[in-house]
Amino acid sequence: MTMSPALEPLSARPAPKARPVAAPQGSRQPLAPVFTAMAVMILTVLSLTFARSADMVAALWGSAGLAVAVWLRTSRGPMYDLSFGGLVALGLAAGNLLAGNSAETTAMFTVANMIDVYAAVLLARRFAPTLNLASVEGASRFLISAAAVAPLPAAVFVGGMLAWMNGADFFQTAQTWWFGHALSIAVVGSFGLAVTRRELVRYRTPVRIVEAAILLGALAAVCVGVFLAGSAPVAFLVLPLLLVIAVRLRVIGTTAGLVVITVLSVGGSMLGYGPYAAFEGPERAMMAQLLVLMGYLPILLVAALLEERDRLGDRARAGQARAERASEAKSRLLANVAHEIKSPVGGVIGIGELWKTGQLGPVNATQTEMADMLVRTARQVESLAHDLLDVARAESGAVKVELRPTDVPGVLDDVRRATALRPEAQGIRFEMISEGDGLIALADSQRLAQVVGNLTSNAVKYGPAGGVVVLRACRIHDGVRIEVTDSGPGLSPEKQAQLFEPFNRLGLERSAVEGHGIGLALAKRLVELQGGAIGVDSTPGQGATFWVELPAA
């Protein structure tokens, strides 16, 4: 006796395979806080050892920018923020102790730095949440909120504490703190945010790597000559080189260049080199800081503007490609529909003609009228199919025009005669005006007749019974102008703006006037293929004048 699978004991069934459990999002960078704390400790020691300016306050505080950038890039929630902040605080405290600060001073500086870093992180999340430095708005928001505003509370705190503890000058200490930390967040923080995987992909090719190395190496060499060797004659090269880096390397290269300039200019000034060596310690540091903040940092906005332009250009090209593909698909659809319509409609017209003339058997008056209506309706559908096919061909570039000298008055007269024979033109008076001799245009006579015929048919359809249609030809400065004027209701400026849009009948879809809304769009395309222009002049209640201008032969 065999057991069915449903009654098989659980112990006999194979154990289901364990599914891998996805790691929590915060565990993707588990070592980032540790490495950041270590880097903060090292930078703190270096800053306090080599860049002290005003009573133990460093002129450049790179650890603040590093902590802000890594915190913003790796944050995964409140618990992560708590652990990250704690490790950064430990790194700051360790760096202060290693640099020789007392326990009280270390505690004060650690608290001040954490106020600084945490304020920058909060403000950046609030006012620059995308952290996108590749746009002018994103870069401006980050620089203003995180770099300019965030260091102010800590600067006031440090200035007050050092004035109370050591009798230091409050304004000078607060000023030095703000400049150093604002510069750090603006330069080091921006560089940390700019180094993304997407940006690094651009530098996978050896050519891009070599170009970046050459440009940044040249900038470093010039900065060494200016800020360490005191070679003033090459100082003018710093800004042009940074601009070239912004153009070629965009945001990531510009922020890297700003780091190079900041380290060499502030460091060189603190060591007594460069153009500001004659100033005293705090003033010397402030001059170097002002040079970077006011002279070179705005280039970051130039790089952001170029990045934004590139992105918008890529979107525009992608949109254009999609639009072209959609237009090609639409043209193919129109052509296929037109071909599918033409054949059966021709059969309907033939049967209607046979029925109307009695060749299919005796017919009475009502049947003759119905057959006539059938043929007329089928011919309208056939005309629509021809127009659709012409539109599809014109949009796909398949319509060929043969430009040759064309007698414009002769074309107008042919169109006038043909239109006057139509049933709907009964009661309409046609006038033709030719102003001057030699009205010869460079055009395709068949396509020109099609355009003028369309305009004249519209003048008959939309004009009142007993009205007048005027066909006029005259010379303009570099060509020939054709005008078709009716005595209809006219067009408002809003309707004139929509007149040449395909399938737009300007709200007359339910009127007694027949039409499909593609005749004028086709006419515009045919005129443009002949190197001309088409338009309308109209005032509501005073008729409309459609004009075509073509180059003279």
Side-chain angles (χ1 to χ4, degrees):
M1 178 177 176
T2 59
M3 281 188 184
S4 64
L7 299 177
E8 186 178 352
L10 293 176
S11 59
R13 298 180 186 177
K17 292 183 179 179
R19 295 182 180 179
V21 179
Q25 196 173 13
S27 65
R28 295 178 185 174
Q29 294 134 337
L31 297 179
V34 177
F35 288 137
T36 304
M38 295 174 61
V40 164
M41 181 183 67
I42 295 171
L43 289 175
T44 299
V45 173
L46 292 175
S47 298
L48 293 177
T49 303
F50 297 104
R52 280 182 173 174
S53 174
D55 198 42
M56 298 186 295
V57 177
L60 179 61
W61 194 254
S63 56
L66 175 66
V68 169
V70 179
W71 197 337
L72 288 172
R73 289 282 301 274
T74 62
S75 179
R76 293 295 181 269
M79 292 303 298
Y80 182 90
D81 289 347
L82 185 62
S83 62
F84 190 98
L87 287 171
V88 169
L90 287 176
L92 288 167
N96 275 272
L97 292 173
L98 289 173
N101 284 340
S102 64
E104 295 80 3
T105 304
T106 295
M108 185 269 294
F109 275 135
T110 301
V111 171
N113 276 284
M114 290 310 299
I115 293 173
D116 194 2
V117 171
Y118 194 60
V121 171
L122 285 180
L123 290 176
R125 287 176 177 173
R126 173 63 180 85
F127 296 102
T130 61
L131 303 178
N132 180 22
L133 300 185
S135 70
V136 176
E137 182 180 3
S140 301
R141 283 173 173 267
F142 176 77
L143 293 176
I144 293 172
S145 61
V149 177
L152 290 175
V156 173
F157 174 76
V158 168
M161 290 298 296
L162 288 179
W164 174 63
M165 295 169 62
N166 303 333
D169 182 86
F170 169 82
F171 179 77
Q172 188 179 69
T173 304
Q175 173 184 272
T176 304
W177 178 281
W178 183 86
F179 271 117
H181 287 247
L183 192 63
S184 171
I185 296 172
V187 175
V188 180
S190 296
F191 177 67
L193 293 178
V195 180
T196 62
R197 183 177 301 176
R198 178 181 176 184
E199 290 293 328
L200 293 177
V201 167
R202 300 183 182 181
Y203 297 91
R204 289 187 301 182
T205 60
V207 174
R208 295 287 289 174
I209 295 174
V210 170
E211 181 185 24
I214 290 174
L215 289 175
L216 292 174
L219 180 66
V222 171
C223 289
V224 167
V226 174
F227 300 112
L228 292 180
S231 180
V234 296
F236 69 95
L237 294 175
V238 177
L239 188 59
L241 271 174
L242 192 59
L243 281 171
V244 172
I245 289 173
V247 172
R248 297 297 305 167
L249 307 182
R250 297 296 192 261
V251 170
I252 186 173
T254 304
T255 54
L258 287 171
V259 170
V260 172
I261 294 173
T262 302
V263 171
L264 293 176
S265 62
V266 177
S269 297
M270 295 306 301
L271 294 174
Y273 301 108
Y276 308 119
F279 291 89
E280 296 296 329
E283 294 180 356
R284 188 166 54 199
M286 187 182 67
M287 293 301 295
Q289 292 166 338
L290 280 174
L291 175 67
V292 178
L293 286 172
M294 303 302 175
Y296 301 130
L297 190 62
I299 305 301
L300 177 59
L301 299 180
V302 175
L305 179 62
L306 294 174
E307 290 266 19
E308 195 169 13
R309 186 203 63 178
D310 293 343
R311 186 169 61 254
L312 293 176
D314 292 341
R315 290 179 182 176
R317 284 188 290 271
Q320 181 180 3
R322 287 195 299 268
E324 289 175 352
R325 289 194 298 268
S327 178
E328 292 174 359
K330 182 194 69 176
S331 299
R332 288 195 300 269
L333 177 62
L334 289 178
N336 292 336
V337 169
H339 280 297
E340 293 295 329
I341 289 175
K342 285 175 63 178
S343 298
V345 165
V348 172
I349 292 174
I351 293 173
E353 293 285 359
L354 293 174
W355 182 22
K356 182 174 65 173
T357 57
Q359 298 183 45
L360 299 180
V363 294
N364 53 35
T366 302
Q367 292 173 332
T368 301
E369 183 180 357
M370 292 178 63
D372 186 64
M373 185 183 302
L374 175 67
V375 172
R376 188 165 61 252
T377 303
R379 291 198 182 280
Q380 292 174 4
V381 175
E382 185 182 41
S383 176
L384 172 62
H386 282 292
D387 287 344
L388 286 174
L389 192 57
D390 283 340
V391 168
R393 288 172 175 169
E395 291 187 349
S396 64
V399 173
K400 304 300 181 183
V401 293
E402 296 183 7
L403 302 181
R404 59 184 64 184
T406 301
D407 180 21
V408 174
V411 172
L412 297 187
D413 189 54
D414 291 341
V415 171
R416 179 186 64 83
R417 292 174 182 273
T419 308
L421 296 177
R422 297 182 180 178
E424 61 268 22
Q426 299 302 318
I428 300 293
R429 183 163 56 90
F430 290 89
E431 293 183 3
M432 181 174 161
I433 302 173
S434 296
E435 297 182 357
D437 298 327
L439 298 175
I440 309 297
L442 189 64
D444 185 310
S445 58
Q446 181 181 356
R447 294 301 182 181
L448 180 58
Q450 183 179 354
V451 171
V452 178
N454 181 280
L455 299 180
T456 308
S457 298
N458 285 346
V460 170
K461 286 193 294 185
Y462 295 104
V468 179
V469 174
V470 179
L471 283 76
R472 176 173 173 264
C474 63
R475 181 175 292 279
I476 54 176
H477 57 92
D478 60 348
V480 178
R481 181 182 175 100
I482 300 169
E483 294 180 355
V484 179
T485 304
D486 61 52
S487 52
L491 296 163
S492 65
E494 293 78 12
K495 290 185 177 180
Q496 292 179 37
Q498 307 170 25
L499 195 59
F500 295 97
E501 295 178 358
F503 306 105
N504 190 344
R505 294 203 61 206
L506 307 179
L508 297 177
E509 290 83 359
R510 294 186 177 137
S511 68
V513 180
E514 298 176 352
H516 310 294
I518 59 175
L520 289 177
L522 177 60
K524 182 176 185 296
R525 181 59 178 157
L526 292 177
V527 170
E528 291 172 347
L529 286 174
Q530 297 175 76
I534 187 171
V536 62
D537 298 323
S538 179
T539 302
Q542 300 182 18
T545 298
F546 287 83
W547 52 265
V548 174
E549 293 181 351
L550 294 168

